[in-house]
């Protein structure tokens, strides 16, 4: 039992013994004592004043006296108005460190056979272009969220839905047919996703030229967008695809295979993966069938032009198109089909979609529709909505070819990490291979941490230069602290085990154990809030507290052998928690830097 649970239990017993009151868990809330007051934990006594029939100060005094006599962890107390500040004895802190030391997964829960199954969808790329900076934020959030949900004792399935069909895919295919001259990833030396992305950009360039020409001939711009020969050809290709035209399908499969090979390379560099990948080309027909089924049950309605709609006016929304008049499906239909397939594949208890905030309305509608169609988790699906990410030089527009490419960005980060580390003299005693590997760990850690430390709901500015800083709230600062601890432990001789007998602790040591003890609560809160930023900020706080301690007190040069051993165990467990916490963010930590 941890210290908070022990004291909370004792406080409940105190209230019952003194006032005959059964206090609920909610009433027995402990918080960290504010820095201006003496103490480690504070109990708010206002909920017990009525039962005590005494002033808040008298009530706190009586509970404090009871706890000092009956709870061995509490050494002394002081009262500030209705706040009971409790000082915990050194022995209790040492016992807590011992418990942390024995548990390699301290602060994290393991899934059991009865654990709920949480499915998390993230990435959702289009096969007409490579992954970009927006996808980087999406993938990092999705992967981290999966680790956090697992650390909260859930079974987790990580899924991806690939947008591999539709007009945008046909645009790349048509452009390749017109201007590709049989170019392949092998012949061009380009990654497959980059190659196809180039043709998507080429289509848009020629398409805009056609629109401009039609407008110059006197056509209205909106009409010109529909009448341009290229867009008409792309639509014809889409119809052929839907009709299973063998030539169109063969080209589609060939070009998609190039893209998937490129995606796999990017995902590997990013350190993310999936348990199951779904493809819209396989889900859209299931979606159409599910919509038709809903239509037959009177859940949806068919309009005169043969299109199918869901009337959501009773829910305060509008009408939502599900099937176009020509029978083709929209994204909503595809999402219904994907849900159907997933529900058949897994006994899902909770579904989390990691998708940008521009799709907030889409998921509001999807939740209602899935609930109508009988999916048990439909009403409670979670749209993990995140904001846009930009670089200092502005937004990204993929159609214009100015996309911030994920591969380029990751390479830039690794190169910058190598350059910065060399300038700071951190790689002086390393060979080339080790330098490259640590630069990769540091560069990717800088990228991931900078993105994940920000509240996901907010738009953010990603600054590569700021992210690779060995001071401040950055990945490299935390990684360097971990590497420093590992270096200390390597220099120490013998095993790092807690000394026998009592030991007097200083304020910084107590603060460090207390901060380590908060890891479990941080993991739990991050799971409740779906918040990787909560874990990132915990990592930073723990690292800061350790560095303050290390600045004031020596470990290896401590003359008292008992204290030295104690501090080595303290440092070893700080490193363990940093490694586990950073792991929840998908960030590696190097053994040396």
């Amino acid at each position: 039992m941890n210290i908070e649970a022990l004291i909370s239990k004792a406080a409940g017993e105190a209230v019952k013994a003194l006032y005959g009151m059964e206090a609920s868990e909610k009433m027995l809330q402990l918080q960290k004592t504010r820095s201006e007051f003496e103490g480690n934990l504070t109990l708010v006594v206002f909920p017990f004043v009525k039962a005590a029939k005494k002033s808040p100060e008298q009530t706190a005094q009586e509970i404090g006296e009871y706890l000092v006599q009956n709870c061995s962890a509490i050494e002394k107390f002081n009262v500030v108005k209705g706040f009971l500040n409790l000082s915990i004895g050194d022995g209790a802190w040492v016992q807590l460190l011992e418990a942390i030391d024995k548990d390699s997964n301290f602060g994290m829960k393991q899934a059991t056979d009865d654990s709920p199954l949480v499915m998390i969808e993230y990435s959702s790329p289009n096969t007409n272009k490579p992954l970009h900076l927006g996808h980087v934020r999406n993938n990092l959030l999705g992967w981290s969220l999966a680790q956090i949900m697992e650390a909260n004792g859930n079974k987790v399935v990580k899924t991806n839905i690939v947008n591999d069909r539709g007009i945008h895919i046909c645009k790349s295919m048509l452009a390749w047919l017109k201007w590709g001259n049989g170019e392949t990833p092998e012949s061009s030396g380009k990654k497959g996703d980059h190659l196809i992305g180039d043709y998507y950009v080429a289509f848009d360039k020629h398409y805009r030229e056609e629109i401009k020409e039609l407008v110059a001939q006197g056509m209205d711009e909106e009409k010109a967008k529909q009448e341009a020969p290229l867009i008409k050809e792309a639509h014809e290709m889409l119809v052929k695809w839907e009709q299973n035209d063998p030539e169109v399908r063969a080209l589609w499969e060939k070009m998609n295979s190039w893209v998937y090979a490129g995606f796999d390379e990017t995902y590997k560099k990013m350190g993310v993966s999936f348990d199951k990948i779904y493809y819209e080309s396989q889900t859209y027909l299931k979606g159409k069938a599910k919509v038709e089924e809903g239509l037959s049950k009177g859940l949806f309605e068919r309009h005169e032009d043969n299109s199918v709609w869901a009337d959501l006016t009773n829910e305060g929304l509008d009408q939502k198109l599900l099937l176009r008049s020509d029978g083709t499906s929209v994204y909503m239909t595809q999402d219904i089909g994907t849900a159907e397939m997933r529900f058949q594949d897994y006994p899902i208890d909770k579904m989390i979609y990691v998708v940008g905030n521009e799709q907030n309305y889409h998921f509001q509608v999807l939740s209602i529709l899935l609930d109508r169609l009988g999916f048990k988790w439909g009403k409670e699906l979670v749209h993990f909505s995140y904001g846009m990410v930009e670089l200092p030089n502005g937004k990204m527009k993929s159609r214009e070819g100015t996309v911030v490419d994920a591969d380029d960005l990751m390479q830039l980060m690794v190169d910058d990490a190598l350059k910065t580390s060399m300038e700071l003299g951190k790689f002086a005693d390393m060979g080339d291979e080790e330098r490259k590997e640590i630069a990769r760990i540091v560069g990717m850690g800088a990228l991931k941490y900078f993105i994940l430390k920000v509240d996901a709901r907010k738009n953010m500015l990603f600054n590569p230069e700021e992210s690779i800083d060995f001071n401040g709230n950055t990945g490299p600062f935390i990684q360097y602290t971990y590497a420093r601890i590992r270096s200390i432990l390597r220099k120490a001789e013998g095993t790092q085990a807690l000394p026998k007998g009592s030991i007097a602790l200083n304020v910084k040591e107590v603060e460090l154990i207390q901060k380590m003890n908060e890891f479990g609560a941080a993991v739990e809160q991050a799971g409740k809030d779906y918040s990787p930023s909560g874990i990132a900020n915990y990592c930073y706080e723990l690292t800061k507290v350790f560095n303050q301690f290390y600045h004031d007190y020596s470990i290896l040069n401590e003359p008292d052998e008992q204290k030295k051993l104690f501090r080595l165990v303290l440092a070893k467990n700080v490193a363990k928690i940093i490694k586990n916490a950073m792991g929840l963010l998908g960030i590696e930590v190097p053994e040396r830097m």
Side-chain angles (χ1 to χ4, degrees), residues 158-169:
K158 303 183 289 291
T159 70
N160 185 358
I161 175 72
V162 178
N163 305 308
D164 65 339
R165 62 172 290 279
I167 190 68
H168 50 294
I169 311 298

Side-chain angles (χ1 to χ4, degrees), residues 139-156:
N139 279 282
L140 298 184
L141 286 169
W143 177 263
S144 178
L145 193 58
Q147 309 314 305
I148 289 166
M149 296 310 284
E150 272 190 3
N152 275 283
N154 298 287
K155 287 183 277 192
V156 173

Side-chain angles (χ1 to χ4, degrees), residues 48-61:
F48 320 122
V49 167
K50 194 175 177 184
K53 297 176 183 166
K54 290 174 182 160
S55 70
E57 289 85 350
Q58 285 176 295
T59 306
Q61 185 70 29

Side-chain angles (χ1 to χ4, degrees), residues 580-591:
N580 288 345
M582 291 288 266
L584 296 181
L585 303 175
I587 298 174
E588 297 167 80
V589 282
E591 288 297 304

Side-chain angles (χ1 to χ4, degrees), residues 281-519:
S281 56
Q282 294 166 2
T283 68
Y284 83 106
L285 289 174
K286 278 197 177 285
K288 285 170 81 167
K290 202 73 186 164
V291 168
E292 294 287 356
E293 183 190 309
L295 192 63
S296 68
K297 290 178 180 173
L299 301 175
F300 310 131
E301 54 193 46
R302 195 184 292 280
H303 287 190
E304 280 181 20
D305 66 351
N306 207 39
S307 58
V308 177
W309 297 72
D311 186 354
L312 306 174
T313 49
N314 285 345
E315 280 88 357
L317 303 172
D318 55 8
Q319 296 208 343
K320 182 68 186 174
L321 176 68
L322 299 178
L323 289 175
R324 298 187 189 94
S325 54
D326 62 2
T328 55
S329 60
V330 294
Y331 275 120
M332 189 64 71
T333 326
Q334 289 160 191
D335 274 347
I336 291 168
T338 309
E340 168 84 346
M341 281 185 80
R342 286 170 174 165
F343 196 67
Q344 287 167 355
D345 291 343
Y346 298 95
I348 302 167
D349 294 298
K350 186 183 283 292
M351 182 74 216
I352 302 173
Y353 293 88
V354 181
V355 182
N357 57 16
E358 71 277 5
Q359 295 293 331
N360 285 355
Y361 177 73
H362 175 90
F363 283 98
Q364 195 181 352
V365 172
L366 181 63
S367 177
I368 294 166
L369 296 180
L370 291 178
D371 184 54
R372 267 192 204 181
L373 289 165
F375 292 92
K376 66 173 185 176
W377 44 264
K379 193 176 278 184
E380 286 160 12
L381 74 79
V382 176
H383 173 207
F384 182 85
S385 172
Y386 64 89
M388 184 177 286
V389 56
E390 297 172 13
L391 285 173
N393 59 356
K395 294 184 183 180
M396 306 171 299
K397 291 193 175 79
S398 58
R399 285 193 311 278
E400 291 169 18
T402 55
V403 61
V404 180
D405 181 79
D407 294 311
D408 292 345
L409 179 63
M410 289 191 286
Q411 192 57 53
L412 169 76
M413 296 301 297
V414 174
D415 292 345
D416 282 359
L418 183 60
K419 181 169 167 276
T420 305
S421 298
M422 294 290 277
E423 284 169 1
L424 293 171
K426 292 189 181 293
F427 288 172
D429 61 339
M430 295 181 194
D432 279 352
E433 285 308 307
E434 190 179 6
R435 280 179 194 158
K436 281 179 190 170
E437 177 60 4
I438 293 175
R440 180 193 66 77
I441 291 172
V442 173
M444 290 305 297
L447 170 66
K448 292 179 180 187
Y449 188 85
F450 200 93
I451 284 176
L452 292 173
K453 74 177 180 180
V454 178
D455 179 348
R457 291 165 296 190
K458 294 178 179 172
N459 288 347
M460 69 168 291
L461 192 70
F462 175 68
N463 189 325
E465 286 177 24
E466 271 182 39
S467 71
I468 298 185
D469 189 336
F470 287 84
N471 298 297
N473 190 3
T474 66
F477 171 66
I478 296 165
Q479 289 172 319
Y480 182 63
T481 300
Y482 174 84
R484 171 189 267 176
I485 296 172
R486 296 300 297 163
S487 171
I488 292 166
L489 297 174
R490 282 193 296 274
K491 287 173 188 169
E493 291 175 4
T495 56
Q496 285 101 38
L498 277 170
K500 302 292 180 197
S502 61
I503 186 162
L505 306 186
N506 62 52
V507 174
K508 298 281 187 193
E509 288 165 338
V510 167
E511 192 181 353
L512 197 45
I513 298 169
Q514 190 165 7
K515 179 53 71 178
M516 289 157 68
N517 187 45
E518 290 168 17
F519 180 47

